[in-house]
Coordinates of all heavy atoms in Angstrom, one line a residue:
A1 N 14.2 119.6 172.8 CA 14.5 118.4 173.6 C 15.8 117.8 173.3 O 16.6 117.4 174.1 CB 13.4 117.4 173.4
L2 N 16.1 117.7 172.0 CA 17.4 117.1 171.5 C 18.6 117.9 171.9 O 19.5 117.4 172.5 CB 17.4 116.9 170.0 CG 18.6 116.2 169.4 CD1 18.9 114.9 170.1 CD2 18.5 116.1 167.9
D3 N 18.5 119.2 171.7 CA 19.6 120.1 172.1 C 19.9 120.0 173.6 O 21.0 119.9 174.1 CB 19.3 121.5 171.7 CG 19.4 121.8 170.2 OD1 20.0 121.0 169.6 OD2 18.9 122.8 169.8
G4 N 18.8 120.0 174.4 CA 18.9 119.9 175.9 C 19.6 118.6 176.3 O 20.5 118.6 177.1
R5 N 19.2 117.5 175.7 CA 19.8 116.2 176.0 C 21.2 116.1 175.6 O 22.1 115.6 176.3 CB 19.0 115.0 175.4 CG 17.7 114.7 176.0 CD 17.1 113.5 175.4 NE 15.7 113.3 176.0 CZ 15.4 112.4 176.9 NH1 16.4 111.7 177.4 NH2 14.2 112.3 177.3
T6 N 21.5 116.7 174.4 CA 22.9 116.6 173.9 C 23.8 117.4 174.9 O 24.9 117.0 175.2 CB 22.9 117.2 172.5 OG1 22.1 116.4 171.6 CG2 24.4 117.2 171.9
K7 N 23.3 118.6 175.3 CA 24.1 119.4 176.2 C 24.3 118.8 177.6 O 25.3 118.8 178.1 CB 23.5 120.8 176.3 CG 23.7 121.7 175.1 CD 23.0 123.0 175.2 CE 23.1 123.8 173.9 NZ 22.3 125.0 174.0
A8 N 23.2 118.2 178.1 CA 23.2 117.7 179.4 C 23.9 116.3 179.5 O 24.6 116.0 180.5 CB 21.8 117.6 179.9
L9 N 23.7 115.5 178.5 CA 24.2 114.1 178.6 C 25.3 113.8 177.6 O 26.0 112.8 177.9 CB 23.0 113.2 178.3 CG 21.8 113.3 179.2 CD1 20.6 112.4 178.6 CD2 22.1 113.0 180.6
G10 N 25.4 114.5 176.6 CA 26.5 114.2 175.6 C 25.9 113.6 174.3 O 24.8 113.0 174.4
P11 N 26.5 113.7 173.2 CA 26.0 113.2 171.9 C 25.9 111.7 171.8 O 25.1 111.2 171.0 CB 26.9 113.8 170.9 CG 28.2 114.1 171.6 CD 27.8 114.4 173.0
E12 N 26.7 111.0 172.6 CA 26.7 109.5 172.5 C 25.9 108.8 173.6 O 25.9 107.6 173.6 CB 28.1 109.0 172.4 CG 28.9 109.2 171.1 CD 29.6 110.5 171.1 OE1 30.0 111.0 172.2 OE2 29.7 111.1 170.1
H13 N 25.3 109.6 174.5 CA 24.5 109.0 175.6 C 23.3 108.3 175.0 O 22.7 108.7 174.0 CB 24.1 110.1 176.5 CG 23.5 109.6 177.8 ND1 22.2 109.1 177.9 CD2 24.1 109.3 179.0 CE1 22.0 108.7 179.1 NE2 23.1 108.8 179.8
S14 N 23.0 107.2 175.6 CA 21.8 106.4 175.0 C 20.5 107.2 175.0 O 19.8 107.0 174.0 CB 21.7 105.1 175.9 OG 21.3 105.4 177.2
D15 N 20.3 108.0 176.0 CA 19.0 108.8 175.9 C 19.0 109.8 174.8 O 18.0 110.0 174.1 CB 18.8 109.6 177.2 CG 18.4 108.6 178.4 OD1 18.1 107.5 178.1 OD2 18.5 109.1 179.5
T16 N 20.2 110.4 174.5 CA 20.3 111.3 173.4 C 20.1 110.6 172.1 O 19.3 111.1 171.2 CB 21.7 112.0 173.4 OG1 21.9 112.6 174.6 CG2 21.8 113.0 172.2
L17 N 20.7 109.4 171.9 CA 20.5 108.7 170.7 C 19.1 108.1 170.5 O 18.6 108.1 169.4 CB 21.6 107.5 170.7 CG 23.0 108.0 170.6 CD1 24.0 106.8 170.8 CD2 23.3 108.8 169.4
Q18 N 18.4 107.8 171.6 CA 17.0 107.4 171.5 C 16.2 108.5 171.0 O 15.2 108.3 170.2 CB 16.5 106.9 172.9 CG 17.1 105.5 173.2 CD 16.6 105.0 174.6 OE1 16.2 105.8 175.4 NE2 16.8 103.8 174.9
T19 N 16.5 109.8 171.5 CA 15.7 110.9 171.0 C 16.0 111.1 169.5 O 15.0 111.4 168.8 CB 16.1 112.2 171.8 OG1 15.8 111.9 173.2 CG2 15.4 113.4 171.3
C20 N 17.2 111.0 169.1 CA 17.5 111.1 167.6 C 16.8 110.1 166.8 O 16.2 110.4 165.8 CB 19.0 110.9 167.4 SG 20.0 112.3 168.0
E21 N 16.7 108.9 167.3 CA 16.0 107.8 166.6 C 14.5 108.1 166.6 O 13.9 107.8 165.5 CB 16.3 106.4 167.3 CG 16.0 105.3 166.4 CD 16.7 104.0 166.9 OE1 16.7 103.7 168.2 OE2 17.3 103.3 166.1
A22 N 14.0 108.6 167.6 CA 12.5 108.9 167.6 C 12.3 110.0 166.6 O 11.3 110.0 165.9 CB 12.1 109.4 169.0
L23 N 13.2 111.0 166.5 CA 13.0 112.1 165.5 C 13.1 111.5 164.1 O 12.4 111.9 163.2 CB 14.0 113.2 165.8 CG 13.7 114.2 166.9 CD1 14.9 115.1 167.1 CD2 12.5 115.0 166.6
A24 N 14.0 110.6 163.9 CA 14.2 110.0 162.6 C 12.9 109.3 162.2 O 12.4 109.4 161.1 CB 15.3 109.0 162.6
D25 N 12.2 108.6 163.2 CA 10.9 108.0 162.9 C 9.9 109.0 162.5 O 9.1 108.8 161.6 CB 10.5 107.1 164.1 CG 11.3 105.9 164.3 OD1 12.1 105.5 163.4 OD2 11.3 105.3 165.4
V26 N 9.8 110.1 163.3 CA 8.8 111.1 163.0 C 9.1 111.7 161.6 O 8.1 111.9 160.8 CB 8.9 112.3 164.1 CG1 8.1 113.5 163.6 CG2 8.4 111.7 165.4
Y27 N 10.3 112.1 161.3 CA 10.6 112.6 159.9 C 10.2 111.6 158.8 O 9.7 112.0 157.8 CB 12.1 113.0 159.8 CG 12.5 114.2 160.6 CD1 13.7 114.2 161.3 CD2 11.7 115.3 160.7 CE1 14.1 115.3 162.1 CE2 12.1 116.4 161.4 CZ 13.3 116.4 162.1 OH 13.7 117.5 162.8
D28 N 10.5 110.3 159.1 CA 10.2 109.3 158.1 C 8.7 109.2 157.9 O 8.2 109.2 156.8 CB 10.7 107.9 158.6 CG 10.5 106.8 157.6 OD1 10.3 107.1 156.4 OD2 10.5 105.6 158.1
E29 N 7.9 109.2 159.0 CA 6.5 109.2 158.9 C 5.9 110.4 158.2 O 4.9 110.3 157.5 CB 5.8 109.1 160.3 CG 6.1 107.7 160.9 CD 5.6 107.6 162.3 OE1 4.8 108.5 162.8 OE2 6.0 106.7 163.0
Q30 N 6.6 111.6 158.3 CA 6.1 112.8 157.6 C 6.6 112.8 156.2 O 6.3 113.8 155.4 CB 6.7 114.0 158.4 CG 6.1 114.2 159.7 CD 6.7 115.4 160.5 OE1 7.8 115.8 160.2 NE2 6.0 115.8 161.5
G31 N 7.4 111.9 155.8 CA 7.9 111.8 154.4 C 9.2 112.6 154.2 O 9.6 112.8 153.0
D32 N 9.8 113.1 155.2 CA 11.0 113.9 155.1 C 12.2 112.9 155.3 O 12.8 112.8 156.3 CB 11.1 115.0 156.1 CG 12.2 116.0 155.9 OD1 13.1 115.7 155.1 OD2 12.2 117.0 156.6
L33 N 12.5 112.2 154.2 CA 13.5 111.1 154.3 C 14.9 111.7 154.5 O 15.7 111.0 155.1 CB 13.4 110.2 153.1 CG 12.0 109.5 152.9 CD1 12.1 108.6 151.6 CD2 11.7 108.6 154.1
A34 N 15.2 112.8 153.9 CA 16.5 113.4 154.1 C 16.8 113.7 155.5 O 17.8 113.5 156.1 CB 16.6 114.7 153.2
A35 N 15.8 114.3 156.2 CA 15.9 114.6 157.6 C 16.0 113.4 158.5 O 16.8 113.3 159.4 CB 14.8 115.5 158.1
A36 N 15.2 112.4 158.1 CA 15.3 111.1 158.8 C 16.6 110.4 158.7 O 17.2 109.9 159.6 CB 14.2 110.2 158.3
E37 N 17.2 110.5 157.5 CA 18.5 109.9 157.2 C 19.5 110.7 158.0 O 20.4 110.0 158.6 CB 18.8 110.1 155.7 CG 20.2 109.6 155.4 CD 20.6 109.9 153.9 OE1 19.7 110.1 153.1 OE2 21.8 109.8 153.7
E38 N 19.5 112.0 158.1 CA 20.4 112.7 158.9 C 20.4 112.3 160.4 O 21.5 112.1 161.0 CB 20.1 114.2 158.8 CG 21.1 115.1 159.5 CD 20.7 116.6 159.4 OE1 20.0 117.0 158.5 OE2 21.2 117.3 160.3
M39 N 19.2 112.2 160.9 CA 19.1 111.8 162.3 C 19.6 110.3 162.5 O 20.3 110.0 163.5 CB 17.6 111.9 162.8 CG 17.2 113.2 163.1 SD 17.9 113.9 164.6 CE 18.9 115.2 163.9
Q40 N 19.2 109.5 161.6 CA 19.6 108.1 161.7 C 21.1 107.9 161.6 O 21.8 107.1 162.3 CB 18.9 107.2 160.7 CG 19.0 105.7 161.1 CD 18.3 105.3 162.4 OE1 17.3 105.9 162.8 NE2 19.0 104.5 163.1
R41 N 21.8 108.7 160.7 CA 23.2 108.7 160.6 C 23.9 109.1 162.0 O 24.9 108.5 162.4 CB 23.7 109.6 159.5 CG 23.5 109.1 158.1 CD 24.1 109.9 157.1 NE 23.8 109.5 155.7 CZ 24.5 108.5 155.1 NH1 25.4 107.8 155.7 NH2 24.1 108.1 153.9
R42 N 23.3 110.1 162.6 CA 23.8 110.5 163.9 C 23.7 109.3 164.9 O 24.6 109.1 165.7 CB 23.0 111.7 164.4 CG 23.4 112.3 165.6 CD 22.7 113.6 165.9 NE 23.0 114.1 167.2 CZ 22.6 115.3 167.7 NH1 21.9 116.1 167.0 NH2 22.9 115.6 168.9
V43 N 22.6 108.6 164.9 CA 22.4 107.5 165.8 C 23.5 106.4 165.5 O 24.1 105.9 166.4 CB 21.0 106.8 165.6 CG1 20.9 105.6 166.5 CG2 19.9 107.9 166.1
V44 N 23.7 106.1 164.2 CA 24.7 105.0 163.9 C 26.1 105.5 164.3 O 26.8 104.7 165.0 CB 24.7 104.8 162.4 CG1 25.8 103.9 162.0 CG2 23.3 104.1 162.0
K45 N 26.4 106.7 164.1 CA 27.7 107.2 164.5 C 27.9 107.2 166.0 O 28.9 106.7 166.5 CB 27.9 108.7 164.0 CG 29.2 109.3 164.3 CD 29.4 110.7 163.8 CE 30.7 111.3 164.1 NZ 30.8 112.7 163.6
G46 N 26.9 107.6 166.7 CA 27.0 107.7 168.2 C 27.0 106.3 168.8 O 27.8 106.0 169.7
R47 N 26.2 105.4 168.3 CA 26.2 104.0 168.8 C 27.5 103.2 168.5 O 28.0 102.5 169.3 CB 25.0 103.2 168.4 CG 23.7 103.7 169.1 CD 22.5 102.8 168.9 NE 21.5 103.3 169.8 CZ 20.2 103.3 169.4 NH1 19.8 102.7 168.3 NH2 19.3 103.8 170.2
T48 N 28.0 103.5 167.3 CA 29.3 102.9 166.9 C 30.4 103.3 167.9 O 31.2 102.5 168.3 CB 29.6 103.2 165.4 OG1 28.6 102.7 164.6 CG2 31.0 102.6 165.1
K49 N 30.4 104.6 168.1 CA 31.4 105.1 169.1 C 31.2 104.6 170.5 O 32.2 104.2 171.1 CB 31.4 106.7 169.0 CG 32.5 107.3 169.8 CD 32.5 108.8 169.7 CE 33.6 109.4 170.5 NZ 33.7 110.9 170.3
A50 N 30.0 104.6 170.9 CA 29.7 104.3 172.3 C 29.7 102.8 172.6 O 30.2 102.3 173.6 CB 28.4 104.9 172.8
L51 N 29.2 102.0 171.6 CA 29.0 100.6 171.8 C 29.8 99.6 171.0 O 29.9 98.5 171.3 CB 27.5 100.2 171.6 CG 26.5 101.0 172.4 CD1 25.1 100.7 171.9 CD2 26.6 100.7 173.9
G52 N 30.3 100.2 169.9 CA 31.1 99.4 169.0 C 30.3 98.9 167.8 O 29.0 98.9 167.9
A53 N 30.9 98.7 166.7 CA 30.2 98.4 165.4 C 29.4 97.1 165.5 O 28.4 96.9 164.8 CB 31.2 98.3 164.3
R54 N 29.8 96.1 166.3 CA 29.1 94.8 166.3 C 28.0 94.7 167.3 O 27.4 93.7 167.4 CB 30.2 93.7 166.5 CG 31.3 93.7 165.5 CD 31.4 92.4 164.8 NE 32.5 92.3 163.9 CZ 32.3 92.5 162.6 NH1 31.1 92.8 162.1 NH2 33.3 92.5 161.7
H55 N 27.8 95.7 168.1 CA 26.8 95.7 169.1 C 25.4 95.6 168.5 O 25.2 96.2 167.4 CB 26.8 96.9 170.0 CG 26.0 96.8 171.2 ND1 24.6 97.1 171.2 CD2 26.3 96.5 172.5 CE1 24.1 96.9 172.4 NE2 25.1 96.6 173.2
P56 N 24.5 94.8 169.0 CA 23.2 94.6 168.4 C 22.4 95.9 168.2 O 21.8 96.1 167.2 CB 22.4 93.7 169.4 CG 23.5 92.9 170.1 CD 24.7 93.8 170.2
S57 N 22.6 96.9 169.1 CA 21.9 98.2 168.9 C 22.5 98.9 167.8 O 21.7 99.6 167.0 CB 22.0 99.0 170.2 OG 21.2 98.4 171.2
T58 N 23.8 98.9 167.6 CA 24.4 99.5 166.5 C 24.0 98.9 165.2 O 23.7 99.6 164.2 CB 26.0 99.5 166.6 OG1 26.3 100.0 167.9 CG2 26.7 100.2 165.5
Q59 N 24.0 97.6 165.2 CA 23.5 96.9 163.9 C 22.1 97.2 163.6 O 21.8 97.4 162.4 CB 23.8 95.4 164.1 CG 25.2 95.0 164.2 CD 25.5 93.5 164.4 OE1 24.6 92.8 164.9 NE2 26.7 93.1 164.1
A60 N 21.2 97.3 164.6 CA 19.8 97.6 164.3 C 19.7 99.0 163.7 O 18.9 99.3 162.8 CB 19.0 97.5 165.6
S61 N 20.5 99.9 164.3 CA 20.6 101.3 163.8 C 21.0 101.4 162.3 O 20.5 102.1 161.5 CB 21.5 102.2 164.7 OG 21.0 102.2 166.0
R62 N 22.1 100.6 162.0 CA 22.5 100.5 160.6 C 21.5 100.0 159.7 O 21.3 100.5 158.6 CB 23.8 99.7 160.5 CG 25.1 100.4 160.8 CD 26.3 99.7 160.3 NE 26.4 98.3 160.5 CZ 27.0 97.7 161.5 NH1 27.5 98.5 162.5 NH2 27.0 96.4 161.6
E63 N 20.7 99.0 160.1 CA 19.6 98.4 159.3 C 18.5 99.5 159.1 O 18.0 99.6 158.0 CB 19.0 97.2 160.0 CG 19.9 95.9 159.9 CD 20.0 95.4 158.4 OE1 19.1 95.6 157.6 OE2 21.0 94.8 158.2
A64 N 18.2 100.2 160.1 CA 17.2 101.3 160.0 C 17.7 102.4 159.0 O 16.9 102.8 158.1 CB 16.9 101.9 161.3
L65 N 19.0 102.7 159.0 CA 19.5 103.7 158.1 C 19.5 103.1 156.7 O 19.1 103.8 155.7 CB 21.0 104.0 158.5 CG 21.7 105.0 157.5 CD1 20.9 106.3 157.2 CD2 23.1 105.3 158.0
A66 N 19.8 101.8 156.6 CA 19.8 101.2 155.2 C 18.4 101.2 154.7 O 18.2 101.4 153.5 CB 20.3 99.7 155.3
D67 N 17.4 101.0 155.5 CA 16.0 101.0 155.0 C 15.7 102.4 154.5 O 15.0 102.6 153.4 CB 15.0 100.7 156.2 CG 15.0 99.2 156.5 OD1 15.5 98.4 155.7 OD2 14.5 98.9 157.6
L68 N 16.1 103.5 155.2 CA 15.9 104.8 154.7 C 16.6 105.1 153.4 O 16.1 105.8 152.5 CB 16.4 105.9 155.8 CG 15.5 106.0 157.0 CD1 16.2 106.8 158.1 CD2 14.2 106.7 156.6
L69 N 17.8 104.6 153.3 CA 18.6 104.8 152.1 C 17.9 104.1 150.9 O 17.8 104.7 149.8 CB 20.0 104.2 152.2 CG 20.9 105.0 153.2 CD1 22.2 104.3 153.5 CD2 21.2 106.4 152.7
R70 N 17.4 102.9 151.1 CA 16.7 102.1 150.1 C 15.4 102.9 149.6 O 15.1 103.0 148.4 CB 16.4 100.7 150.5 CG 17.5 99.8 150.4 CD 17.1 98.3 150.7 NE 16.9 98.0 152.1 CZ 17.8 97.7 152.9 NH1 19.0 97.6 152.6 NH2 17.5 97.4 154.2
A71 N 14.8 103.5 150.6 CA 13.5 104.2 150.3 C 13.8 105.5 149.4 O 12.9 106.0 148.7 CB 12.8 104.7 151.6
Q72 N 15.1 105.9 149.5 CA 15.5 107.1 148.6 C 16.2 106.6 147.4 O 16.7 107.5 146.6 CB 16.4 108.0 149.5 CG 15.7 108.6 150.7 CD 16.7 109.4 151.5 OE1 17.0 110.5 151.2 NE2 17.3 108.7 152.5
G73 N 16.2 105.3 147.1 CA 16.9 104.8 145.9 C 18.4 104.7 146.0 O 19.0 104.5 145.0
K74 N 18.9 104.8 147.2 CA 20.4 104.7 147.4 C 20.7 103.3 147.8 O 21.3 103.0 148.8 CB 20.8 105.7 148.5 CG 20.4 107.1 148.2 CD 20.8 108.0 149.4 CE 20.4 109.5 149.2 NZ 20.8 110.3 150.4
T75 N 20.4 102.4 146.9 CA 20.5 101.0 147.2 C 22.0 100.5 147.3 O 22.3 99.7 148.1 CB 19.8 100.1 146.1 OG1 20.4 100.5 144.8 CG2 18.3 100.3 146.1
A76 N 22.9 101.1 146.5 CA 24.3 100.7 146.6 C 24.9 101.0 148.0 O 25.6 100.2 148.6 CB 25.1 101.3 145.5
E77 N 24.5 102.2 148.5 CA 25.0 102.7 149.8 C 24.4 101.8 150.9 O 25.0 101.4 151.9 CB 24.7 104.1 150.0 CG 25.3 104.7 151.3 CD 25.0 106.2 151.5 OE1 24.4 106.8 150.6 OE2 25.4 106.7 152.6
A78 N 23.1 101.5 150.7 CA 22.4 100.7 151.7 C 23.1 99.3 151.8 O 23.3 98.7 152.9 CB 20.9 100.5 151.4
K79 N 23.4 98.7 150.6 CA 24.0 97.4 150.6 C 25.4 97.4 151.3 O 25.7 96.5 152.1 CB 24.1 96.9 149.1 CG 24.6 95.5 149.0 CD 24.6 95.1 147.6 CE 25.2 93.7 147.4 NZ 25.2 93.2 146.0
K80 N 26.1 98.4 151.0 CA 27.5 98.6 151.6 C 27.4 98.7 153.1 O 28.2 98.1 153.8 CB 28.2 99.8 151.0 CG 29.6 100.0 151.5 CD 30.2 101.2 150.9 CE 31.5 101.5 151.5 NZ 32.1 102.7 151.0
L81 N 26.4 99.5 153.5 CA 26.2 99.7 155.0 C 25.9 98.4 155.7 O 26.4 98.2 156.8 CB 25.1 100.7 155.2 CG 24.8 101.2 156.6 CD1 26.0 102.0 157.1 CD2 23.6 102.0 156.7
T82 N 25.1 97.6 155.1 CA 24.7 96.3 155.8 C 25.7 95.2 155.7 O 25.6 94.2 156.4 CB 23.3 95.8 155.3 OG1 23.4 95.6 153.9 CG2 22.2 96.8 155.6
Q83 N 26.7 95.4 154.8 CA 27.7 94.4 154.6 C 28.9 94.7 155.5 O 29.8 93.9 155.6 CB 28.1 94.3 153.2 CG 27.1 93.7 152.3 CD 27.5 93.6 150.8 OE1 28.5 94.3 150.4 NE2 26.8 92.9 150.0
S84 N 29.0 95.9 156.1 CA 30.2 96.2 156.9 C 30.1 95.7 158.3 O 29.1 95.3 158.7 CB 30.4 97.8 156.8 OG 29.3 98.4 157.4

């Protein structure tokens, strides 16, 4: 599904990014925090490019990534991410 959306709509399209975010949630629920982090990073990158760093959706995505980072003990990186 993700590959199809990416090819059809592009990597920064809102539907593509929503799919990435849903996959990040699934990976998180399964305990695969590294895969969840990878997907959430993709969301942050795409939303930053498409919407700008200060857009509420981008900020929410950064917060979600920060939560994943904290869950993995990457507190310094999480703090830096939420302060930018």
